[in-house]
Every structure is written in structure tokens, then in C-alpha cells.
Amino acid sequence: MCGIVGYIGNKKACPILIAGLTRLEYRGYDSAGVSTIEKNGLSLMKTKGRVKNLNDLKGIDKLEGTIGIAHTRWATHGKPSNENSHPHQDNSKTFSVVHNGIIENYAELKNLLEEKGYHFYSQTDTEVIPNLIHYYFLKDKEDNSTMKFLKAVRNACLDLKGSFAIEVISSYFPDNMIVVRKDSPLVIGTCENEKYISSDIPAILSYTRDFYLLNNLEFTILSKNSAKFFDTELNEIKKKLDVIEWNSSAAEKDGYDDFMLKEIYEQPSAVRETIGSRISNDLKCEIEELKFSKKQLQEITKIYIVACGTAMHAGLSGKNTIEKICRIPTEVDIASEFRYRDPIIDKNTLCIFISQSGETADTIAALKLAKSKGATTLAISNVIGSSITREADYSIYTHAGPEIAVASTKAYTSQVALINIIAIYFAEILQSTKSEYLNFLKQELLSLPKKIEETLKCKDQIFEFAKKVYQEKDMFFLGRGVDETVAKEGSLKLKEISYIHSESYAAGELKHGPIALIENGITVVGIMTDENLVEKTVSNIQEVITRGAKTLIITNQKINYNNFNEVIIIPEIAPFISPILSVIPLQLLSYFISKEKGLDVDKPRNLAKSVTVE
Ligand code: F6R
């Protein structure tokens, strides 16, 4: 969690830093702060609460410095408060540091530093970093030079256990900044006489398309017109520039009230981009990032799909397709469970990791574990150069464009599309399913952008329904087969942005316990897109209607609509792919309920977009 921004150039840093923080606020919004290099030393301005509060700080408009660092916080160690806000400084106020990640051994380091006379003023893990840098800087008897600065940062970082992306400035070095990352994201944007640093690319995409993507422990000394990279031995290393194709408007609201609504409406184009040239109009399926031979695929005896939250729900729908058309046993696991349960993995296991951000700590750890046990690893991510894509043997991008709202929408639908394409690609090589059926699935995928547009027309109907139910305390989501995976996603969306308690169940499971909770007036959402299962689900919904539930049905099946309170008809589509359509009314439902309740849709309480801590 947490977002960090930095700037070195000829312009005043502070307004650029605050603009960058505003774009990164989805990563955390408990406090914000900036530190710049001024003529009389380092400035430090920080405050509890949202980034916009920074503008109220006395003197912030007087900052002239053209180098600065900034931070927006999702609190881990220490409650949200002014003292715990970043940047943090060493006792002599010579070094300012912002940090994203967690220092696991901070208590031990704090004790060591306290023994050496350092004092601490916050409850954060971060405050050890500037003091450690100061300690190593003083210990080194060489004359001051940027290499001495770098050495002090390097020595401090080698003492840290855990994850970190940090930016360091010092009043001794008014033209430089040092940045480094380990298991937390950090990118450097570069243009003539300016360097922009950020936790993610979209926050600084309006300034440049040229980026350096840092690998773990690549220590970087920046000045306004240079970026020099060093390994842990402080040998200089060369890095290539990556040119990013998104444009900055992809990271703006573009006239929508909220990013979430914009991203819901971007789904036709996001899914079109995901499919891209992977399925051509003449129904060829090629994934240029994958080079599996038939022999290699035949040797795979088991697939794990590992992810968190919404990405895990995309994995659940992928399992349905892979097992059915590739005939390879597939298990889906939550990354935070997988990593601690000693999963049975060998060289014949393929582990697929799905992560929009590519920075989710548990997913990265699960990937490292799978690799260490000899599995072949494949990463699916939306973020170019993100950590999981750098760790995995194979990486495929969803190309859904930046997703800013905390609640995931277009990332989910593009993940479901991509995992279906991967399943088709495998099945074709394995010849495990008739080519006629695979061609049918490809046609269905190609029809998606149009069908998503059609599905989005349910907006007004959902809006009216949301107005009727927004004050409810509980809701249930039911489905069978692939529809159950969508029930899970609909329920998660409702919880996270509407703060309504909800449960999702396999429809047939309800009578084994949870039906006891069904009482008069409760809302039950039923999803039915599979003709083989629809009658069974209808019967289960009937059971809750008998007990007084009111129902919202999402379906493309021919059923007797009179039994239900509200029915949303979505276009017909192959069941494997149907989550991409059936989830849309559920995304809109949680969106409109959240709006009716007057909540902050894009930044729900207690959450952050990218969970880079365990
Ligand atoms: C829910 C949501 C989260 C993420 C989860 C994984 O709307 O966004 O559940 O899906 O935190 O994040 P990534 O995909 O970045 O690994």
C-alpha cells in the first residue's frame, strides 16, 4: 500500500508532487506529506487525512524547491496521525525518506539505533530508515560525495528485512535523489532535464512515456538530467528505457463522476484490447508470449491458479474452462493460503498467478514458492513490468488500461477473457476438445465487446432497483457452476463499496444451512446463464421466494420471469464466458447503492488498490 512520488527538474516540485499524490490516492488515504530541498535545508509538510488537506498547510505554497519526495499512506504500523505521516527524517533532519512496504525487523533495528542514541517520534516502521542512513553516512569517513550518499542508502537497505520502495533526499546533496525498491513497486519517468518517480505509471503518464522499470535492489542516483543504476556491490549497471503506450487520459475521469463508473463503461474496449490479435477474425488463436509445445503441455499433470480477491474470482471461472476443454485438473487457491499450506507441486505443475497490479504481496510470495518447488509459472497482470511479471517464467498482460478505482471491474472481465483464451490455446495444442467447439468459443469471445455494450443498457433498470434496496443490511448472491463464481464477485463488490453485508453461495448449498437466514423482505440475487443448470437454480430461488425473499435475477435463459421481482436479461453467450456479461449488472448494482448511500465509490473505507503488505 501507500503511494510515493518524486520529482527532480527545473519546476517547483511541490505542485507536481501533490498532483501525483492525488492520482496515487487510491493506494492509501490515511495521511499525506511532502519534503523538498529548499535553500535553507529540507522542508517537511505532512498531515493526517486526504491529500487535499496538504493545500491547507501554512507555508506549503511558499516552497520553491525543485527536488522533492511525497507520500500518501495506508496505515500499517501506527494509527493515521500527523506524526506517523511520511516523509520521515533522521534526528539531524539531514535525510528525508518516503517508504512503501513493510520493514519486518524494524523493532530490532530501532533498538540498535536507540542504543546508539537515536530517538524515535512515530510508531512507524519507516522511521528507522532515515536514521540508519544517517548512521552509515556518519560512520563513513570519506569526503561527502554522491557515492558516499549511495553507500549509506545501500548499507541501510541491506539491513532491512521485508519490502520497500523508498526515495531519499538529503540537504547535503541538493541536486540528487536516491531511489530503490525491493518487492514494492517504483518506476522512474524520464524526459529532458526532468525525472519523475512514482509507485505506478499512470500517476506520471501526463509528463512522459519513457520509463525505467526498476528491479529489486537496483540502487539509483538521480539528478535532473541523469539516472545511474547500481547493483548491491555498487557496480554501475545499464538499464533500458521502456516506452509506455497508454496515454494519460486513460488515467483521468473523462467526464464520469467516478473512476469506477468510467471503468465499468470501458469494459467493451478493455476486453477488445485483451483479445487483441490473440484471436484473429479467421479464428486463429496465438499468444505470442507463450511458447508451449504439445509435449510440454502433455507433461502438465496439474494446474494451480493462485490470486487474491477479485483476481481469484477470475481464476475460479478460468478453472471451469480449463478443466472442461483442456482436461487438466485445476485448483484455485487464495494466495495467502497457498503460500502457507505446503501445496503439492512438482516440475509437472503449472502455476498461474493472476494480479491486476502485479504487486500483491501474497501473490508474489506464492509465485516465489511455486518457482522454488520447480513449477512452471505464468503471470497474468495488467501492469507492464510489475513484480509478478518479472518473477514468472511466462507473463501475459490483460492490456485493460489503468484501473484506478479501488473496486476492480474491467480488470476482472479482462482476466476472465484472457484465461479463457489461454485455455483455448492449450486445448488446441493438446487437441483435447473438438476444433468446432473451440472455434465456437473463439467466436463468442470476439462477440464480447458488442455484447458488453448491450449488457450495459441495463443501467437504468439497476439504478431503479438500487434505489429500492440501498438501505438493506444483508443480501445473498446465488448461482451454480460458473454463475457461482460470479455470485462471489457480486457479493465482494457489494461489500467493499456499499458496506452491505452479503453472502454468496452455490445455489444448491443454501438448504444445508444458510437458508435459516432467509427472512421476509431480504434481497436475493440469482445468476443463471447455464442452460444445463438453470432449472436447478430456479428451484433454489423458488425456495427463498417461499420464505419471503425478493429477487433480482440476472439471466439469458428462457424462464418464467413472473416469479421474480426484477429480471435483467443479458445477451446469450457460452457459459464459460458468461461471467464477463453477468457480472456487469452486479458491478452497477454496488456502484448505484454506494452512490445512493453517499459513499466514496472510488476510495472505500479501510481499503487500498494494491495490497503490497501481507
Ligand atoms: C476487489 C479488489 C481486490 C483485488 C485484490 C487483488 O475489487 O480489487 O479484491 O482483486 O486485492 O489485487 P491484484 O489483482 O492487484 O493482485
Side-chain angles (χ1 to χ4, degrees):
M1 320 285 194
C2 305
I4 62 183
V5 197
Y7 174 75
I8 310 189
N10 294 322
K11 300 181 193 130
K12 276 192 196 176
C14 190
I16 295 172
L17 295 173
I18 294 180
L21 286 186
T22 308
R23 291 200 175 116
L24 284 180
E25 214 177 13
Y26 70 87
R27 300 177 67 89
Y29 24 89
D30 289 329
S31 66
V34 298
S35 176
T36 53
I37 306 183
E38 301 295 315
K39 287 207 175 72
N40 55 355
L42 297 176
S43 74
L44 184 64
M45 300 264 177
K46 47 193 198 173
T47 177
K48 188 179 155 184
R50 296 279 166 110
V51 171
K52 62 177 168 27
N53 298 353
L54 282 175
N55 294 314
D56 302 331
L57 295 182
K58 204 164 158 250
I60 198 150
D61 51 336
K62 305 275 180 322
L63 296 180
E64 298 287 335
T66 58
I67 299 189
I69 58 178
H71 187 270
T72 178
R73 177 168 186 248
W74 186 80
T76 55
H77 294 70
K79 63 180 190 323
S81 68
N82 290 350
E83 303 72 54
N84 290 333
S85 308
H86 297 219
H88 288 281
Q89 293 187 322
D90 66 299
N91 288 174
S92 72
K93 302 194 187 312
T94 314
F95 297 97
S96 286
V97 170
V98 290
H99 163 225
N100 168 30
I102 284 205
I103 306 305
E104 287 161 6
N105 58 338
Y106 84 100
E108 186 189 315
L109 293 170
K110 194 169 168 182
N111 284 343
L112 285 174
L113 287 164
E114 275 171 342
E115 278 167 24
K116 297 188 190 307
Y118 287 86
H119 297 286
F120 289 85
Y121 302 96
S122 76
Q123 288 97 51
T124 66
D125 51 343
T126 303
E127 206 183 351
V128 297
I129 304 175
N131 285 307
L132 260 184
I133 294 172
H134 177 260
Y135 166 73
Y136 281 116
F137 192 79
L138 284 197
K139 211 171 148 199
D140 191 338
K141 296 296 171 218
E142 278 177 28
D143 290 343
N144 284 359
S145 68
T146 46
M147 279 318 278
K148 177 172 168 182
F149 181 17
L150 184 69
K151 219 195 277 177
V153 175
R154 189 275 314 258
N155 289 345
C157 287
L158 293 185
D159 284 349
L160 306 177
K161 289 202 182 112
S163 60
F164 50 86
I166 59 172
E167 297 172 330
V168 192
I169 52 173
S170 166
S171 51
Y172 290 151
F173 301 96
D175 300 320
N176 298 107
M177 179 187 301
I178 293 183
V179 302
V180 61
R181 67 176 284 270
K182 181 180 162 268
D183 297 336
S184 285
L186 194 73
V187 297
I188 300 166
T190 176
C191 44
E192 213 184 334
N193 288 329
E194 282 179 315
K195 299 285 170 282
Y196 295 87
I197 303 93
S198 173
S199 299
D200 78 12
I201 291 171
I204 49 176
L205 207 50
S206 55
Y207 306 110
T208 181
R209 300 257 184 112
D210 295 337
F211 283 85
Y212 291 110
L213 306 176
L214 288 186
N215 291 319
N216 276 347
L217 294 175
E218 287 180 342
F219 294 86
T220 311
I221 303 181
L222 296 169
S223 69
K224 68 181 176 190
N225 44 30
S226 74
K228 290 188 176 162
F229 306 94
F230 299 84
D231 63 16
T232 47
E233 304 298 315
L234 300 188
N235 300 312
E236 194 167 346
I237 47 178
K238 289 268 165 283
K239 279 194 79 68
K240 72 169 183 44
L241 268 184
D242 277 271
V243 180
I244 301 301
E245 281 161 16
W246 302 335
N247 61 28
S248 62
S249 74
E252 306 290 345
K253 280 192 197 155
D254 261 351
Y256 285 90
D257 284 352
D258 310 275
F259 279 112
M260 182 178 176
L261 191 62
K262 176 182 176 242
E263 287 157 10
I264 290 174
Y265 272 84
E266 279 173 345
Q267 291 179 107
S269 57
V271 168
R272 189 178 289 117
E273 289 297 318
T274 304
I275 298 168
S277 57
R278 288 162 179 155
I279 295 182
S280 62
N281 287 335
D282 56 356
L283 303 186
K284 285 208 173 62
C285 175
E286 270 169 38
I287 305 182
E288 66 175 347
E289 300 93 330
L290 297 187
K291 299 273 174 280
F292 281 99
S293 65
K294 186 169 182 181
K295 183 167 175 293
Q296 254 176 311
L297 286 178
Q298 277 171 333
E299 280 169 4
I300 293 174
T301 52
K302 170 149 198 183
I303 295 180
Y304 278 108
I305 305 178
V306 184
C308 302
T310 289
M312 193 272 292
H313 296 158
L316 288 172
S317 84
K319 168 190 159 85
N320 278 274
T321 322
I322 294 174
E323 289 201 327
K324 200 76 172 191
I325 69 173
C326 307
R327 309 307 294 162
I328 305 176
T330 303
E331 207 177 308
V332 181
D333 212 344
I334 298 166
S336 56
E337 292 295 316
F338 178 86
R339 59 185 290 197
Y340 293 116
R341 74 174 175 89
D342 194 11
I344 301 168
I345 293 175
D346 60 24
K347 64 178 180 21
N348 297 325
T349 312
L350 170 67
C351 292
I352 303 177
F353 298 87
I354 309 178
S355 172
Q356 188 285 130
S357 63
E359 302 297 345
T360 301
D362 284 317
T363 310
I364 297 171
L367 166 48
K368 287 183 176 163
L369 174 81
K371 255 178 109 173
S372 73
K373 287 178 173 268
T376 303
T377 54
L378 190 165
I380 296 179
S381 178
N382 194 34
V383 178
I384 312 283
S386 59
S387 295
I388 66 161
T389 66
R390 282 181 246 178
E391 288 282 342
D393 300 317
Y394 299 92
S395 298
I396 317 186
Y397 292 107
T398 43
H399 297 306
E403 191 180 67
I404 310 290
V406 165
S408 185
T409 52
K410 65 175 180 173
Y412 167 79
T413 43
S414 61
Q415 286 159 352
V416 176
L418 188 50
I419 198 133
N420 273 285
I421 297 171
I422 295 170
I424 293 169
Y425 167 84
F426 284 173
E428 225 159 41
I429 297 175
L430 286 166
Q431 294 169 305
S432 47
T433 291
K434 286 203 175 106
S435 59
E436 290 77 23
Y437 187 69
L438 296 182
N439 283 344
F440 162 70
L441 284 182
K442 289 179 209 167
Q443 270 158 343
E444 291 286 79
L445 280 162
L446 289 175
S447 75
L448 271 172
K450 262 211 148 58
K451 289 184 179 172
I452 298 173
E453 269 163 26
E454 256 174 72
T455 310
L456 284 164
K457 291 185 187 150
C458 71
K459 173 178 157 257
D460 292 342
Q461 207 185 338
I462 291 284
F463 176 56
E464 291 306 320
F465 189 79
K467 284 201 287 195
K468 289 184 205 150
V469 299
Y470 76 96
Q471 282 170 321
E472 296 198 357
K473 296 274 173 284
D474 302 287
M475 276 196 206
F476 278 82
F477 290 76
L478 305 180
R480 283 174 180 252
V482 80
D483 294 329
E484 191 221 339
T485 72
V486 178
K488 285 193 158 61
E489 176 56 11
S491 172
L492 174 64
K493 222 75 316 166
L494 187 74
K495 286 184 189 94
E496 63 177 329
I497 60 164
S498 311
Y499 314 156
I500 293 179
H501 168 254
S502 69
E503 300 275 353
S504 62
Y505 274 98
E509 185 65 10
L510 202 68
K511 58 185 161 300
H512 298 288
I515 201 163
L517 293 170
I518 301 296
E519 53 187 38
N520 215 16
I522 200 163
T523 298
V524 175
V525 180
I527 304 128
M528 308 174 199
T529 66
D530 187 339
E531 65 176 341
N532 296 319
L533 299 171
V534 60
E535 281 176 13
K536 310 267 174 218
T537 313
V538 167
S539 306
N540 299 132
I541 300 283
Q542 203 51 59
E543 290 158 10
V544 299
I545 293 175
T546 308
R547 285 153 183 89
K550 57 177 176 304
T551 49
L552 168 67
I553 302 299
I554 318 294
T555 190
N556 51 15
Q557 299 297 308
K558 292 178 186 54
I559 49 175
N560 179 3
Y561 301 143
N562 297 333
N563 291 340
F564 311 114
N565 297 80
E566 197 73 45
V567 179
I568 306 287
I569 316 274
I570 60 169
E572 278 181 32
I573 191 98
F576 296 137
I577 305 166
S578 67
I580 296 171
L581 302 185
S582 56
V583 79
I584 289 171
L586 306 182
Q587 296 169 340
L588 287 167
L589 179 66
S590 23
Y591 174 81
F592 285 124
I593 291 180
S594 179
K595 291 299 271 186
E596 280 303 304
K597 292 176 89 167
L599 303 174
D600 188 340
V601 173
D602 285 339
K603 299 189 190 88
R605 70 182 177 207
N606 304 338
L607 290 171
K609 181 74 183 158
S610 168
V611 186
T612 55
V613 294
E614 195 176 333

